[in-house]
Amino acid sequence: MPGVISERDAPEKRKRQEPRAVPDGTRNGKLRKTEKSVSHSANVEDEIFLLESRILESRQHYNKITTLLSYCHDHVAQAKRSITAALALCRIFCRLLAMEAMSKPNQAPKNEITIVQWLRSQLESYRETLLGLLAGADPGMQSAALTLLMRVLKEESEYLNLSPESIWRDGAFASLVSKIAGRDTADVVREEFVVKYLQPYDDVRYYGFACLSDLCNHKTPEGIVDNLIAILSTLDPDIAAKSSLDSFFVTKHQQIKHKMCNITAHRRQGQELWLKILKHNLTKSQRKSILSMMEHQIVPWFIRLELLMDFLTDSFNAGGSMSLAALASLFHLIQERNLDYPQFYRKLYSLLTPEILHSKHRSRFFRLLHTFLASTHLPAALVASFMKRLARLTLNAPPSGIVVVVPWIYNLLKNHPTCTFMIHRRPEYADTLTAEGMDDPFDMQEADPMGTNAIESSLWEVHTLQTHYHPNVATIAKIISEQFTKQAYNLEDFLDHSYSSMLRAELSKEIKRSPVIEYEIPKKIFFPNNDAPERDSLLVKLWDCS
């Protein structure tokens, strides 16, 4: 916090250096080009420090502030001079604020009020210049502009008799946040803002959320929405679970009664910001990004979890991996937050389509399905419907998908013993079953898993898989016909199988004994064999190629 600068900290006047002797070998006493640039740079810095010291010495030199402001504007051709002038102006304005030279005293003369108004206008011009650097300069100057803006903002809040709303919500901070969320600000500067200010300070975060909410509406460009999501995803998820607010960028805020110091109001501000983002016309990639951090970084900010239902339902209706991510978030809310959502298992059951066993998201789906059906308190009819439907889908599934379903059914039968009679049921008319067959009571078209009558059926599809053309599938399908001595199968051992992995496994097998074969290379393929007509190929018997 700036105060009255001591003599030790006050900028010293620099004496003009005596001209150095002309080096040997120079023509007409002129310095080399490099020496000229070094000398010019030193002279510029000396000039800036001299202007700073004069401004702070006497108010008669206040008009020199405009000279320093002009130096700040030329940040492209004179980058070093620009940043040096910006640093000097920051020290000047902080010192003037601490000296109350920019405050309007009661019953002050008109000329004093005019000076104060002029200084405030120069401060506003300085802020606009820094905001321009924040949006259009290189990342190094953007970082410096961010630090200077926050420094001046802190001093204004400390020493000017203004309400927090006028400075933070409607003033310079709102403009700063708008630039940070804009497209021209570098990602590294945006991350610096989050790490240095938004995350550690409660007051900055409260008003930061408010200003970001003002930026987000149905007309907000897609790039700015991406930046908003990036800013919020950088925040530590434990912040929303804080029990007290005791870290303030402006120490004066800690001593006032304001809703920024209230935990509930703080979380509500974060909730409003996320709701505005969720109501935006999000792209597919944005939805996936939000769903991936729903559990840890979004849910803690919400006071009313039911407000998330519309977004999760719309995400589920998008289909594919989006549906899986939405159901995962819904399940977390049901299990951990006691959210009431009675249609969860019906929506999950609707995902069991023939495409799911061919999908690239198959592994993730079965991991989630294993979690969703792990509870032993689920109705037997519900569990039976999931087993029966997946067993039916395996009849047209690739081998890599079947080897996941069979161990999964085995684990469900172990967790739900009441469903085991689906593999032991004998039909009433067993004698005529082979000749005439029977109607399966399972209704494949029923959308409600509680009304499919799967509990009245059997897992005859798994028995059919025991004669599958692929030996690995036939072998693993036989575990259903054996005694259930194994506690459970680890699904991770089967989830990553594919055609290529199964082929590599077959090719890498060590042949312990060469197979015995009978094979005779034919002498002729397209024409008849006159010596042994009985050995003619099938092509010769079907077509006359002569």
Side-chain angles (χ1 to χ4, degrees):
M1 181 188 305
V4 178
I5 300 179
S6 62
E7 295 181 0
R8 178 171 52 87
D9 298 329
E12 298 179 359
K13 293 184 179 179
R14 296 176 180 262
K15 296 182 179 180
R16 182 177 298 175
Q17 297 179 355
E18 296 294 332
R20 293 179 298 176
V22 179
D24 294 336
T26 57
R27 183 178 297 176
N28 297 328
K30 294 183 179 180
L31 297 176
R32 294 186 180 91
K33 185 176 181 180
T34 56
E35 293 176 343
K36 283 184 177 181
S37 61
V38 172
S39 176
H40 176 71
S41 176
N43 291 338
V44 169
E45 290 185 12
D46 289 345
E47 179 187 1
I48 291 174
F49 289 131
L50 181 60
L51 290 174
E52 177 186 352
S53 62
R54 287 183 176 177
I55 291 170
L56 294 176
E57 281 178 0
S58 173
R59 60 197 309 178
Q60 295 178 355
H61 300 286
Y62 280 175
N63 56 350
K64 302 295 184 182
I65 293 177
T66 57
T67 304
L68 294 177
L69 282 174
S70 65
Y71 290 166
C72 291
H73 294 157
D74 193 12
H75 64 272
V76 177
Q78 299 287 340
K80 187 175 181 180
R81 185 181 71 173
S82 176
I83 198 64
T84 304
L87 289 170
L89 283 171
C90 179
R91 291 191 294 266
I92 290 171
F93 285 120
C94 289
R95 177 70 180 273
L96 293 176
L97 287 167
M99 295 168 55
E100 298 185 354
M102 301 179 67
S103 301
K104 294 181 180 179
N106 295 330
Q107 299 179 352
K110 186 176 181 180
N111 60 336
E112 293 290 336
I113 296 177
T114 303
I115 293 175
V116 170
Q117 291 176 346
W118 184 85
L119 287 175
R120 289 191 178 185
S121 67
Q122 297 306 303
L123 177 58
E124 183 64 27
S125 299
Y126 175 62
R127 255 197 310 264
E128 293 297 328
T129 302
L130 292 180
L131 290 172
L133 293 176
L134 192 60
D138 62 273
M141 295 196 70
Q142 287 183 2
S143 177
L146 171 63
T147 303
L148 295 177
L149 279 167
M150 292 301 294
R151 174 65 176 175
V152 173
L153 183 68
K154 180 177 182 178
E155 302 307 315
E156 283 187 279
S157 301
E158 292 285 358
Y159 295 107
L160 292 184
N161 190 20
L162 298 174
S163 65
E165 296 290 332
S166 61
I167 295 179
W168 291 80
R169 185 67 183 271
D170 305 322
F173 185 70
S175 302
L176 168 63
V177 172
S178 178
K179 295 293 184 182
I180 289 292
R183 300 175 178 177
D184 298 328
T185 304
D187 292 338
V188 63
V189 178
R190 195 175 294 114
E191 184 178 355
E192 179 185 355
F193 172 72
V194 175
V195 174
K196 289 178 62 176
Y197 303 105
L198 198 64
Q199 182 164 295
Y201 299 113
D202 299 322
D203 49 353
V204 177
R205 186 166 54 254
Y206 177 85
Y207 284 110
F209 283 171
C211 295
L212 291 174
S213 296
D214 295 338
L215 293 176
C216 191
N217 52 58
H218 66 283
K219 296 182 180 179
T220 304
E222 179 183 332
I224 294 182
V225 176
D226 286 331
N227 292 339
L228 294 178
I229 296 174
I231 290 172
L232 295 177
S233 63
T234 310
L235 284 174
D236 189 346
D238 295 333
I239 291 177
K242 290 178 65 174
S243 58
S244 61
L245 302 176
D246 51 9
S247 178
F248 291 90
F249 185 65
V250 179
T251 55
K252 187 172 68 173
H253 289 168
Q254 196 169 3
Q255 303 170 1
I256 62 176
K257 291 184 178 181
H258 194 275
K259 54 186 177 182
M260 79 171 83
C261 306
N262 184 275
I263 292 287
T264 303
H266 202 80
R267 289 183 59 193
R268 187 177 289 112
Q269 201 73 269
Q271 174 181 281
E272 292 299 323
L273 174 56
W274 273 117
L275 278 178
K276 285 194 174 184
I277 295 176
L278 297 182
K279 292 177 181 178
H280 197 270
N281 188 20
L282 300 172
T283 63
K284 187 175 181 180
S285 61
Q286 289 171 346
R287 280 186 176 270
K288 285 186 176 181
S289 176
I290 290 174
L291 288 171
S292 66
M293 56 183 175
M294 176 70 69
E295 179 179 340
H296 300 290
Q297 292 182 291
I298 299 179
V299 170
W301 289 105
F302 273 73
I303 302 172
R304 297 175 56 196
L305 294 174
E306 61 272 13
L307 296 176
L308 292 170
M309 296 305 300
D310 290 341
F311 173 77
L312 294 175
T313 303
D314 292 342
S315 299
F316 172 82
N317 294 333
S321 60
M322 195 93 64
S323 299
L324 299 182
L327 283 180
S329 300
L330 276 173
F331 185 76
H332 170 74
L333 296 178
I334 294 171
Q335 189 178 41
E336 303 294 334
R337 304 286 180 149
N338 299 321
L339 184 69
D340 184 21
Y341 189 70
Q343 299 297 319
F344 175 78
Y345 283 98
R346 184 165 183 164
K347 287 187 175 295
L348 178 62
Y349 186 74
S350 67
L351 293 179
L352 300 182
T353 59
E355 292 78 16
I356 195 64
L357 293 179
H358 297 264
S359 172
K360 64 180 180 179
H361 307 294
R362 180 181 61 216
S363 298
R364 185 184 181 192
F365 173 76
F366 274 97
R367 288 187 181 96
L368 293 173
L369 193 62
H370 175 70
T371 303
F372 299 156
L373 298 176
S375 174
T376 57
H377 300 287
L378 294 174
L382 177 74
V383 177
S385 295
F386 278 90
M387 287 193 295
K388 180 66 177 178
R389 187 175 182 88
L390 273 175
R392 182 68 60 85
L393 293 177
T394 57
L395 298 178
N396 297 307
S400 55
I402 300 174
V403 296
V404 182
V405 175
V406 176
W408 178 80
I409 291 177
Y410 180 96
N411 291 347
L412 276 185
L413 291 173
K414 289 287 290 186
N415 290 338
H416 303 273
T418 53
C419 296
T420 54
F421 53 80
M422 294 179 69
I423 60 175
H424 298 299
R425 176 177 283 120
R426 291 184 60 83
E428 184 178 355
Y429 305 100
D431 298 335
T432 60
L433 178 62
T434 304
E436 302 178 4
M438 62 173 290
D439 293 330
D440 194 335
F442 173 67
D443 186 2
M444 189 72 173
Q445 306 302 322
E446 176 59 46
D448 186 3
M450 294 297 294
T452 60
N453 294 323
I455 198 70
E456 304 296 333
S457 181
S458 64
L459 294 175
W460 58 266
E461 297 89 350
V462 181
H463 186 271
T464 304
L465 294 176
Q466 295 177 0
T467 57
H468 196 273
Y469 74 88
H470 198 289
N472 290 354
V473 174
T475 301
I476 200 169
K478 293 177 182 178
I479 65 175
I480 301 297
S481 301
E482 299 172 356
Q483 291 186 358
F484 282 28
T485 56
K486 191 177 182 65
Q487 182 63 31
Y489 283 92
N490 184 10
L491 288 183
E492 294 296 330
D493 298 337
F494 305 93
L495 288 176
D496 296 326
H497 281 299
S498 62
Y499 274 118
S500 59
S501 65
M502 298 180 78
L503 179 61
R504 285 196 301 268
E506 289 295 327
L507 295 176
S508 61
K509 283 184 178 179
E510 182 181 355
I511 301 177
K512 298 181 180 180
R513 183 179 178 182
S514 299
V516 179
I517 60 173
E518 294 183 3
Y519 184 76
E520 183 178 353
I521 300 176
K523 295 180 180 179
K524 297 181 179 180
I525 298 177
F526 297 101
F527 301 98
N529 191 347
N530 297 327
D531 298 335
E534 68 277 2
R535 295 183 180 180
D536 287 345
S537 66
L538 181 62
L539 290 175
V540 174
K541 296 177 181 178
L542 294 176
W543 294 284
D544 184 7
C545 299
S546 58

